[in-house]
Amino acid sequence: MPVWVLWMIAAAVLGAAEIFTLTLSLGLLAVAALVAGVVGALGMGLALQIAAFVVTAAAALLVVRPIARRHLKQPPPLRSGTAALVGRSGVVVAEVTGERGLIKLSGEEWSARCIDEDQVIPAGTRVDVMDIEGATAIVYPREALP
């Protein structure tokens, strides 16, 4: 069996192991083994195959892995504008129906309507903002939430 086939088998085994461990290291080593296998398939000697594996593995582990880990650890993007209001709670100022109403949300008064068109939410009730459509908050009474 040619040596390059062994490199391909090693690449497959390392790739499969990466799927189960999710460490990123084994996947990068699988890529290095794949490169070494290609070098061997092109007819180059064992020394060049090992050199290709070492150089590719070193470059991947020292350059690619830190960059990838930094991207994975980034905090979630900050929500701003109306998207930041979804999930917040407010207080009904004027009765909210399926068509109209008024709530106090984050210190401001917002037009609102109930997500359930048949429901009427009286003034003073605490509501949760489910969505924002234009300048209207779509709300649901907090007590009714499971």
Side-chain angles (χ1 to χ4, degrees):
M1 180 181 306
V3 177
W4 68 268
V5 173
L6 295 175
W7 285 113
M8 295 298 182
I9 292 170
V13 169
L14 288 167
E18 174 63 35
I19 292 171
F20 293 110
T21 62
L22 299 175
T23 61
L24 190 61
S25 298
L26 296 176
L28 294 173
L29 290 176
V31 170
L34 183 67
V35 169
V38 169
V39 168
L42 292 175
M44 301 191 187
L46 181 61
L48 284 175
Q49 293 173 37
I50 292 172
F53 176 79
V54 170
V55 169
T56 305
L61 293 174
L62 297 174
V63 177
V64 175
R65 188 169 187 262
I67 293 170
R69 287 181 58 92
R70 194 169 36 246
H71 282 282
L72 290 173
K73 289 185 178 183
Q74 285 183 341
L78 294 174
R79 295 187 308 165
S80 62
T82 58
L85 298 174
V86 175
R88 291 215 171 153
S89 66
V91 177
V92 175
V93 175
E95 182 178 81
V96 176
T97 65
E99 296 177 7
R100 68 178 64 127
L102 195 63
I103 65 168
K104 186 154 190 138
L105 176 63
S106 296
E108 298 178 347
E109 289 189 354
W110 278 75
S111 61
R113 65 181 173 85
C114 187
I115 197 167
D116 181 0
E117 295 177 359
D118 299 327
Q119 190 170 20
V120 175
I121 307 171
T125 305
R126 186 159 282 291
V127 293
D128 287 320
V129 177
M130 308 306 273
D131 195 13
I132 301 286
E133 289 182 2
T136 302
I138 311 302
V139 298
Y140 198 75
R142 178 163 277 199
E143 301 85 43
L145 291 175

